[in-house]
């Protein structure tokens, strides 16, 4: 069986923050929208707090947290592997890490031709 290429990854620094947030808030989820506020930043919520619908897809799981994105945004980013990282500074979002004086950010890179042939499938959010 061939190894599938992940669409979304997570840095070691972000894992530490996810652990802190999970201890405080329980199970978590991430969503990347193309909307207002820090629309280009991934947002972390308690699992189930953000209502998903047919306009969202699940890209994968990072450190035990489902990672979703709007279909429209995915069309722009489907050629890139995303890595969730963290940086200092308060973002303008409702994400759980903001009170810590931190914010999650996305780093991306283009897939190689070979990787594009072996990507993990995305799932419609309503099937998750």
């Amino acid at each position: 069986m061939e190894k599938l290429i992940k669409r979304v990854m997570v840095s070691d620094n972000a894992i530490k923050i996810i652990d802190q947030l999970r201890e405080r808030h329980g199970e978590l989820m991430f969503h990347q929208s193309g909307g207002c506020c820090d629309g280009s930043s991934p947002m972390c919520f308690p699992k189930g707090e953000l209502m998903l619908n047919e306009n969202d897809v699940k890209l994968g799981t990072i450190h035990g947290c489902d990672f979703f994105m709007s279909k429209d945004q995915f069309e722009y980013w489907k050629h890139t592997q995303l890595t969730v990282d963290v940086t200092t500074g308060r973002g303008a979002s409702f994400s759980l890490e903001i009170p810590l004086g931190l914010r999650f950010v996305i780093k991306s890179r283009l897939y190689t031709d070979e990787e594009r042939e072996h990507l993990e499938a995305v799932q419609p959010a309503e099937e998750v």
Side-chain angles (χ1 to χ4, degrees):
M1 182 172 169
E2 66 189 60
K3 182 178 177 185
L4 296 177
I5 304 299
K6 294 185 177 293
R7 292 185 178 271
V8 62
M9 310 284 285
V10 63
S11 73
D12 290 341
N13 288 334
I15 285 173
K16 293 174 189 172
I17 302 307
I18 291 168
D19 285 342
Q20 288 179 32
L21 295 174
R22 185 180 286 128
E23 189 174 303
R24 195 173 297 158
H25 301 281
E27 288 187 79
L28 304 172
M29 65 183 287
F30 282 83
H31 190 273
Q32 176 86 34
S33 72
C36 68
C37 304
D38 278 348
S40 60
S41 295
M43 296 174 67
C44 181
F45 301 101
K47 186 174 182 174
E49 183 173 293
L50 181 67
M51 300 304 293
L52 302 169
N53 60 36
E54 68 278 354
N55 295 314
D56 297 297
V57 293
K58 179 182 172 187
L59 270 64
T61 303
I62 56 168
H63 197 50
C65 307
D66 291 338
F67 188 99
F68 298 92
M69 179 181 280
S70 68
K71 283 182 183 177
D72 291 342
Q73 189 79 357
F74 178 67
E75 279 304 307
Y76 290 110
W77 290 27
K78 65 185 176 185
H79 305 291
T80 60
Q81 184 177 59
L82 309 178
T83 300
V84 176
D85 201 0
V86 67
T87 188
T88 56
R90 293 177 59 94
S93 77
F94 303 105
S95 192
L96 292 174
E97 79 284 1
I98 299 302
L100 301 175
L102 302 169
R103 61 190 167 104
F104 288 114
V105 294
I106 288 289
K107 296 180 178 180
S108 63
R109 70 167 185 87
L110 291 173
Y111 293 115
T112 65
D113 290 339
E114 184 178 339
E115 287 174 327
R116 276 195 293 275
E117 295 177 20
H118 303 287
L119 294 173
E120 287 185 331
V122 297
Q123 290 179 271
E126 65 267 16
E127 292 180 11
V128 176

